[in-house]
Amino acid sequence: MSFEYVLITPARNEADFIENTILSVIEQTVLPKRWVIVSDGSTDGTDEIVKKYMDGREWLELIHLPERQERNFAAKVQVFNAGFERVKSLSYDVIGCLDADITFAKDYFAYLLDQFEAMPDLGVAGTHYIEGDFHSYDDSYMNINHVNGGCQLFRKACFEDIGGYVPIKGGGVDWVAVTTARLKGWTTRSFADRVFYHHRKIGTAGGNELISRFKYGKKDYFLGGHPLWELCRGGFQMTKKPYLVGGLALLLGYFWGWATRFERPVSVELMQFYRKEQLERLRLLFSSRLPRLER
């Protein structure tokens, strides 16, 4: 294998999870050329855990940023970019954004690098994930062309083509990156032969599950999701725990965004591309050619 990769991990108070993430990386059959963990003002011992593993590993680097009060997705991009400054001058083929609360098998990155080598047009790659008893493909309307933000790997040329991550306070940073890549002609793919394990329920770091569903619905609106798609998504979520109210919270968030004309941070071109994809997948769904979809 000739491909080399670098990783960047934004981390804010991840002492409960980051050690297992570090162990997953240092046990990889193919190690990263550089892994920069950027501690965003962590005060819970995150930095001390990282430092335990730095001795003898020149490829592992820790950056500590000053503590900030504001917590949003735009800030995460700023943290990522602080790490990117440390790797952008290196020679590498693939760059990854890796969350600090996931784990994976020892050949995880070797497998994904193989996919990049085998598919010259592959711009963004990742895998499905498992969170408790939830499987991101089997238990949702998962789109295999969407790559979850927990672990996104970009071909260097693709990352440069899309201009990196766009800071959006309300979220959708990872989605915009992947969808923009497809808009520009790159293939994006979540592969099923490997998974990663997510150890904190997605979207609940700052609130309960119903609030999280409401925020997801609002995000679906401001990222330009089609109303028909959202109705189908909400109906599907009503069949999952928490039954009925979860789907209603999602729809309430979407139509709250519509009623208030919440400002959309995406371009008209990207929104039109996204809606075209959604309607095509609905057409396939209702013709019984596609069993599930999401995002």
Side-chain angles (χ1 to χ4, degrees):
M1 180 181 299
S2 58
F3 271 29
E4 293 183 303
Y5 71 106
V6 296
L7 297 173
I8 299 171
T9 295
R12 180 184 173 101
N13 291 334
E14 294 285 3
D16 290 343
F17 306 103
I18 197 168
E19 186 161 25
N20 285 330
T21 303
I22 293 171
L23 291 172
S24 285
V25 175
I26 65 178
E27 292 174 354
Q28 290 298 293
T29 56
V30 179
L31 292 172
K33 187 169 188 177
R34 184 73 56 83
W35 182 19
V36 183
I37 299 175
V38 187
S39 176
D40 184 20
S42 296
T43 58
D44 67 342
T46 293
D47 295 18
E48 288 69 29
I49 293 171
V50 176
K51 289 175 183 176
K52 284 198 312 182
Y53 293 93
M54 292 178 63
D55 188 33
R57 297 185 176 94
E58 295 78 9
W59 49 269
L60 177 57
E61 181 178 355
L62 172 67
I63 298 174
H64 182 87
L65 300 181
E67 186 177 0
R68 73 173 83 212
Q69 296 301 315
E70 188 178 23
R71 181 186 176 99
N72 59 49
F73 294 94
K76 182 178 178 179
V77 174
Q78 294 167 8
V79 175
F80 176 91
N81 287 341
F84 181 65
E85 287 296 317
R86 309 291 296 191
V87 304
K88 68 179 184 180
S89 63
L90 299 178
S91 174
Y92 60 87
D93 304 285
V94 172
I95 181 170
C97 182
L98 177 70
D99 279 0
D101 55 5
I102 69 172
T103 56
F104 32 80
K106 295 180 180 180
D107 65 344
Y108 187 81
F109 288 115
Y111 169 80
L112 288 174
L113 291 176
D114 283 344
Q115 309 315 309
F116 279 106
E117 289 200 88
M119 301 172 60
D121 63 341
L122 182 62
V124 192
T127 68
H128 305 320
Y129 68 89
I130 293 174
E131 183 182 279
D133 59 358
F134 173 81
H135 189 288
S136 66
Y137 183 79
D138 293 341
D139 298 319
S140 76
Y141 281 167
M142 183 66 185
N143 174 13
I144 64 169
N145 296 320
H146 177 68
V147 181
N148 183 270
C151 182
Q152 289 184 327
L153 296 187
F154 297 83
R155 190 180 298 271
K156 183 180 181 181
C158 175
F159 193 73
E160 293 171 347
D161 194 17
I162 67 173
Y165 285 114
V166 177
I168 302 172
K169 285 188 175 183
V173 169
D174 56 323
W175 175 88
V176 169
V178 177
T179 309
T180 301
R182 287 200 302 279
L183 175 64
K184 289 181 173 290
W186 294 95
T187 296
T188 66
R189 184 68 51 82
S190 281
F191 293 94
D193 293 338
R194 300 292 186 278
V195 297
F196 70 80
Y197 296 87
H198 189 254
H199 300 287
R200 179 196 290 118
K201 193 168 184 60
I202 288 178
T204 59
N208 65 40
E209 187 162 349
L210 288 181
I211 293 174
S212 174
R213 295 287 181 93
F214 178 87
K215 289 180 177 179
Y216 270 119
K218 186 171 72 171
K219 184 167 66 174
D220 287 345
Y221 171 79
F222 73 66
L223 292 178
H226 197 287
L228 180 58
W229 176 274
E230 196 67 15
L231 287 170
C232 292
R233 187 182 183 198
F236 176 79
Q237 290 298 325
M238 290 179 191
T239 68
K240 303 291 183 180
K241 293 181 179 180
Y243 297 112
L244 188 62
V245 293
L248 288 174
L250 184 80
L251 292 173
L252 182 62
Y254 180 90
F255 287 105
W256 179 90
W258 175 81
T260 60
R261 294 297 188 265
F262 195 85
E263 183 179 359
R264 285 183 164 125
V266 299
S267 68
V268 173
E269 181 185 23
L270 187 63
M271 184 177 75
Q272 291 175 342
F273 177 79
Y274 179 32
R275 289 187 169 193
K276 182 178 179 180
E277 284 191 330
Q278 288 181 320
L279 292 177
E280 174 61 16
R281 287 164 56 206
L282 284 178
R283 184 187 68 80
L284 292 174
L285 174 68
F286 292 126
S287 64
S288 300
R289 298 177 192 171
L290 184 68
R292 51 179 71 85
L293 32 72
E294 168 73 3
R295 279 292 236 205

